[in-house]
Amino acid sequence: MPKSTSVKVSSEIETSIGFPKHALHSKEADRLEALRNYQVLDTPSEAAFDNLVRLASYICGTPMSMMSFIDDKRQWIKACNVEFDVKEVDRNFTFCQYALQIDDVFEVPDAQKDPLFQHYPSVVNDPNVRFYAGAALITPDGQALGTICTIDTEPRQLTAQQRDALRILAKEAVTHLELRRARLQLEQESQKLDGLIRMANDAAQSMFMGSRNEIFVKQEHRLIRVHTEDIRYVEALGDYVNIYTSRERYTVYSTMKELETKLPAREFARIHRKYIVCLDRIMAIEGDSVQVDVGRPQDRQSPTLIPIGNSYKSILLSRLNLI
């Protein structure tokens, strides 16, 4: 790549490449909005991105590589393969701001001989940049968020294979960004749904303080209303509980203690650290177990037996009408 390429590209940018100023400002506003939607600025290091910059250095044979994002006034460094004291630099003194503007690898063979970059602090002072090559991180919507770049303190030029590898690494970085954003969105939606469940249960609890005859449970991103009169028994299962009704089983993320407070106390009893049963559904007590009517005709020939914990037995018996 000839030395004049970086000067030519930057001069085209500085003359707005024929676009009116208001169009450029609109495009930059869209780009910045896209960047913030990825929620990646000022976040801790992540192995996926650290590995990509290490690969960039291995492939290009350079001592330093990094992945960074360009905000309105700064370049913020997400990953770097060497210890770097600063996490952000003034956007006006970055190579990456120019790499952001083109669809191909932006390469500066010798920054000390390039009039555009020879007075940059990073060229004059530590780390004494001579060579730079960067590929833009372009989203599926066409927004350039930042770059993955590789740097050397000696002049050089990439081979065609190395430039191609840098393009591939940039696309791989965007793929990780997309997956990261999707995961964050799922987590946020899950938190919202959990909040709705809490609100719904709190509302139900306040409306039916006397009888509390229904609860809401989350099943596959849906809120399902379950009438407590239809619940046969509840079973603890690690961090989850199974709620058995006459028709089906619901598995929800909760604790037995939390669920116990939402069920009508006069209708349900804790009979074991792992079980809560509906008193009206107890058909028989056999030794240290209770037989529960689960309401499904196909199950009545093999009754459901639930163990009674020693510390719960006397409380259970006291609540039953014994003759």
Side-chain angles (χ1 to χ4, degrees):
M1 177 177 174
K3 173 178 148 316
S4 60
T5 303
S6 62
V7 178
K8 180 182 177 183
V9 172
S10 59
S11 64
E12 286 178 349
I13 294 166
E14 290 166 350
T15 56
S16 301
I17 323 178
F19 287 104
K21 285 186 177 181
H22 67 83
L24 283 177
H25 291 162
S26 176
K27 287 180 65 177
E28 177 65 1
D30 291 342
R31 190 192 71 79
L32 291 173
E33 182 180 1
L35 173 59
R36 285 166 189 141
N37 284 339
Y38 280 84
Q39 303 179 62
V40 70
L41 291 173
D42 302 305
T43 56
S45 62
E46 298 175 50
F49 302 123
D50 292 340
N51 291 338
L52 288 176
V53 298
R54 287 170 61 198
L55 275 175
S57 276
Y58 296 155
I59 292 168
C60 298
T62 54
M64 181 184 296
S65 292
M66 65 178 64
M67 176 178 165
S68 60
F69 297 93
I70 307 297
D71 206 347
D72 55 342
K73 295 180 180 178
R74 60 173 178 157
Q75 172 186 348
W76 180 76
I77 300 168
K78 172 66 174 174
C80 187
N81 70 317
V82 298
E83 290 293 332
F84 209 51
D85 293 335
V86 296
K87 288 292 290 181
E88 61 183 62
V89 294
D90 189 328
R91 174 176 174 169
N92 293 323
F93 296 103
T94 64
F95 293 84
C96 292
Q97 65 174 318
Y98 297 106
L100 206 67
Q101 304 293 332
I102 64 174
D103 294 333
D104 205 351
V105 174
F106 178 69
E107 189 171 353
V108 180
D110 190 346
Q112 288 185 359
K113 295 180 180 179
D114 192 313
L116 185 62
F117 302 110
Q118 61 189 196
H119 301 299
Y120 269 24
S122 59
V123 175
V124 176
N125 304 313
D126 189 63
N128 304 114
V129 175
R130 297 289 296 274
F131 167 79
Y132 170 92
L137 308 178
I138 302 175
T139 70
D141 295 331
Q143 300 292 349
L145 307 181
T147 67
I148 184 167
C149 66
T150 190
I151 297 166
D152 202 341
T153 55
E154 300 292 335
R156 65 163 59 233
Q157 284 184 294
L158 296 182
T159 65
Q161 290 82 3
Q162 288 171 330
R163 282 193 291 273
D164 189 42
L166 204 56
R167 295 185 197 102
I168 293 170
L169 290 175
K171 291 178 181 178
E172 187 69 16
V174 172
T175 298
H176 283 292
L177 284 172
E178 289 291 314
L179 291 172
R180 182 183 183 279
R181 182 170 69 167
R183 187 187 72 247
L184 288 174
Q185 289 174 342
L186 283 174
E187 290 173 355
Q188 290 166 359
E189 289 300 317
S190 178
Q191 290 172 3
K192 289 179 183 177
L193 190 53
D194 288 342
L196 287 173
I197 292 172
R198 284 193 295 270
M199 289 175 62
N201 281 329
D202 290 345
Q205 184 170 340
S206 63
M207 289 175 63
F208 304 104
M209 189 59 71
S211 60
R212 286 184 289 187
N213 60 6
E214 61 185 25
I215 60 174
F216 288 86
V217 299
K218 181 175 71 172
Q219 291 289 289
E220 298 179 354
H221 306 292
R222 293 186 303 154
L223 286 173
I224 298 177
R225 185 195 305 267
V226 177
H227 291 277
T228 56
E229 64 185 17
D230 198 32
I231 297 175
R232 270 42 180 173
Y233 67 98
V234 178
E235 174 188 36
L237 190 67
D239 293 331
Y240 295 84
V241 296
N242 286 327
I243 301 173
Y244 290 87
T245 69
S246 59
R247 290 177 294 278
E248 57 188 303
R249 179 191 71 189
Y250 300 100
T251 301
V252 298
Y253 183 76
S254 181
T255 63
M256 292 291 276
K257 184 176 181 180
E258 180 182 9
L259 194 58
E260 191 174 16
T261 63
K262 298 183 183 302
L263 295 173
R266 64 174 178 269
E267 298 172 18
F268 289 84
R270 184 84 169 266
I271 67 166
H272 190 277
R273 63 183 180 83
K274 293 181 60 177
Y275 293 98
I276 297 172
V277 298
C278 177
L279 295 173
D280 288 345
R281 302 300 172 182
I282 295 177
M283 299 177 64
I285 297 177
E286 301 177 8
D288 292 329
S289 299
V290 297
Q291 181 181 329
V292 177
D293 174 16
V294 293
R296 295 187 295 267
Q298 65 270 26
D299 294 335
R300 287 175 182 165
Q301 293 181 350
S302 54
T304 299
L305 294 177
I306 298 175
I308 306 172
N310 291 333
S311 59
Y312 296 93
K313 192 168 186 177
S314 60
I315 299 175
L316 172 62
L317 295 175
S318 69
R319 296 188 59 183
L320 299 176
N321 294 322
L322 299 179
I323 296 177

